[in-house]
Amino acid sequence: MSDRYAVVGNPVAHSRSPSIHAQFAAQTGQDLVYERLLAPLDGFVATVEAFRASGGRGLNVTVPFKLEAFAFAQRRTARATMAGAVNTLRFDADGVFGDNTDGIGLVRDITVRLGQGLGDASVLLLGAGGAARGVLQPLLDAGVRALTVANRTVSRAEDLARLAGDARVRACGFDLPADAQARVRAGLPERFDLIVNATSAGLDDAAPAIPAALYPTARLCYDMVYGARPTAFMTAAAAAGCAATADGLGMLVEQAAESFLLWRGVRPVTEPVYRRLRAELAGH
Ligand code: ATR
């Protein structure tokens, strides 16, 4: 019988993970099936236990269960602990192993697919919720020179910076100075090479209200969400003259590849899967 995996969430019908993992399995010759698992909002643990008891080997976890998955895991990676959330569970003989592959997925999409070095880069991370927290440690591990967390609610950015416990991390609001000298006087970096949007402002079709003058100074403006069209953040960055923008579709594929690697010990090639998803999104 094929090994069983699934993505568990509520809702889960829209998840692209089954298609992504089916392509990974076909490409690498791995004998597995990957399903969708809808868990009741108050029934995450029961759903996961039943899946495991019926021979399930691992799960991807999506909204709203990533915190429950963190609590459910008996062993966790350091990056999952830093994220405070788990998006990948593996059922081992000696217990439940939890990881969070979102941040490394972002890092790989930026460095491998988009070819932008992160070593020595100054990064402006917009947002201080779960999405931002999930990518903080992997960005630091990638060797960034400075990581500035900017959030609408400044105190949450300060909390996140404190949690990181790393001298490279600074916190500020969206009203940070547009002028480089003024930024340096405020104890912030002179320039930002990369701006990453980890807010959910896009749900309101809005870009975070940072000074537009920051966009053209960045090599890349990256939105962690994706859609059929460029996001409001990407549109704002491009209109202000940023050379390159990207949405989070590549991150989605890369985080899935990291989960696949964790389960199967094989790293799939992501580019053809990314290209196919992009074409499907565009309606081709
Ligand atoms: P997620 O898991 O997506 O990060 P979250 O933990 O609720 O969700 O965090 C949402 C993030 O998006 C926060 O940084 C939030 O800013 P506040 O902390 O000030 O609430 C940010 N956010 C949501 N809507 C926004 C908007 N319209 N403009 C700017 N930031 C927004």
Side-chain angles (χ1 to χ4, degrees), residues 57-172:
R57 300 286 300 272
L59 287 167
N60 280 132
V61 183
T62 187
V63 284
F65 298 125
K66 290 185 186 184
L67 302 184
E68 280 186 75
F70 180 84
F72 184 72
Q74 291 154 322
R75 291 186 298 131
R76 308 172 190 100
T77 57
R79 63 192 182 196
T81 300
M82 182 58 208
V86 153
N87 78 335
T88 308
L89 291 170
R90 189 181 67 201
F91 304 128
D92 296 336
D94 61 347
V96 180
F97 183 72
D99 194 4
N100 191 314
T101 63
D102 287 330
I104 189 67
L106 172 70
V107 166
R108 284 192 64 87
D109 195 41
I110 291 171
T111 57
V112 180
R113 190 177 66 84
L114 296 166
Q116 295 278 352
L118 280 176
D120 212 34
S122 171
V123 178
L124 178 61
L125 179 63
L126 308 176
R133 185 174 167 185
V135 301
L136 200 63
Q137 190 64 50
L139 284 170
L140 291 168
D141 291 347
V144 299
R145 180 165 47 82
L147 207 170
T148 308
V149 182
N151 195 46
R152 183 175 62 180
T153 310
V154 184
S155 61
R156 290 187 79 195
E158 289 166 348
D159 290 346
L160 196 54
R162 210 169 300 121
L163 187 73
D166 189 303
R168 292 171 291 172
V169 182
R170 292 274 177 284
C172 62

Side-chain angles (χ1 to χ4, degrees), residues 172-190:
C172 62
F174 286 159
D175 57 349
L176 70 171
D179 175 68
Q181 265 77 52
R183 266 204 307 282
V184 172
R185 281 197 298 277
L188 295 171
E190 185 179 354

